[in-house]
Amino acid sequence: MPEFHGRWCCRSSKGWVVTVDDNSNVHLSNPLSKTQIQLPSLDKFTHPQMSCEPEKPRDYRYMCKTALSANPISTPDYVVATLVTNCSRLAFYKSGDEGWTTLKNEWGPYEDVIYYKGQFHCLSNWGVVVACDLASRDLPKFTKVSPDTNGRYNKMYLVESSGELLKVVRYYEYHPEYERYLERRQLSLVDKDFDWEGLEWTTRTSCSKVLQLDQNTRKWIEVESLGDQVLFLGLNCSLSLPARDFPQCKGNCIYFTDDYLGKKRSIDNGIYNLEDKSIKPYYPNSPTWIRKPIWVHRNLW
């Protein structure tokens, strides 16, 4: 696809792909209609204070997760929400704005963001879910909609499935050498010449757990089965689709891509079966991708 040449295809939401080029230009690109919408560049972010790492405005990883409120073609007043890499704070762009606005509140940093029931919902890395109404012209307010979770997991995602709000917990197993690297880093004993990224694999998905938010009690309840639904996780805004509409996919399964950005190669891709807890590749002899693959849903508005 010529429109993607020379760009990082870094995130996707509702059938649109977020691309960033070497000049920090950001676009929404529709791979089917070939439509291009230019967004404010990475240089137009109001960078958060107290960053935990130096700013890297030209780095494609700066935008960690992105979610759209509506189809930007049919809805002129759309909003784009994204998590920025430094402390994973929420930033947003409203159509017509000259730049991005970065918000700060007590619940960050965040793991994920989705648009659910008219509001953006953000998932903190401690399991708290907060809702933010960015459609209002007033200063956006955050409302806590779920409690935190005991302990921290390796990776968490939010996804809407059949009208319900789900939280998916993705557990990793670590390469033994990488575990020793983490232990030594905690003790400030890291060998600067140790090439932990050069290991055959650093992390790999071992299992997943699905939780559903009880709208009455605001508590998370573990889901034993997804039924006919199929979940798609990764750098994209998470998807839930019925297997009956996609005969190539199997219901009650989670299709995941490698979104662990510490690795040079993408190797942690597969299908997790919620029934028998097994993991298998998409197809025999699955290749190792140089870049991180992204799910793109042909959204029919």
Side-chain angles (χ1 to χ4, degrees), residues 104-159:
K104 179 183 178 182
N105 65 73
E106 60 186 288
W107 289 293
Y110 296 114
E111 291 273 347
D112 203 359
V113 58
I114 66 170
Y115 191 72
Y116 174 68
K117 291 188 175 180
Q119 292 184 319
F120 287 96
H121 284 62
C122 303
L123 174 63
S124 79
N125 61 6
W126 290 104
V128 176
V129 176
V130 294
C132 182
D133 183 8
L134 297 179
S136 172
R137 290 298 173 183
D138 299 328
L139 185 67
K141 296 182 179 180
F142 289 84
T143 304
K144 184 178 179 180
V145 299
S146 83
D148 58 358
T149 308
N150 294 327
R152 180 173 179 176
Y153 300 103
N154 295 89
K155 187 74 174 179
M156 293 181 288
Y157 307 83
L158 284 181
V159 57

Side-chain angles (χ1 to χ4, degrees), residues 243-296:
R244 61 181 176 274
D245 294 340
F246 300 88
Q248 300 90 344
C249 299
K250 184 177 181 180
N252 200 27
C253 287
I254 300 173
Y255 288 63
F256 59 89
T257 60
D258 194 340
D259 60 357
Y260 191 85
L261 296 178
K263 292 182 292 187
K264 295 179 180 178
R265 295 184 300 156
S266 178
I267 57 177
D268 189 21
N269 309 283
I271 306 169
Y272 178 75
N273 189 310
L274 206 62
E275 180 178 0
D276 60 15
K277 316 302 181 187
S278 64
I279 296 179
K280 66 177 184 179
Y282 306 137
Y283 40 81
N285 303 317
S286 292
T288 296
W289 284 275
I290 298 176
R291 306 299 182 195
K292 310 297 180 183
I294 304 172
W295 299 112
V296 180

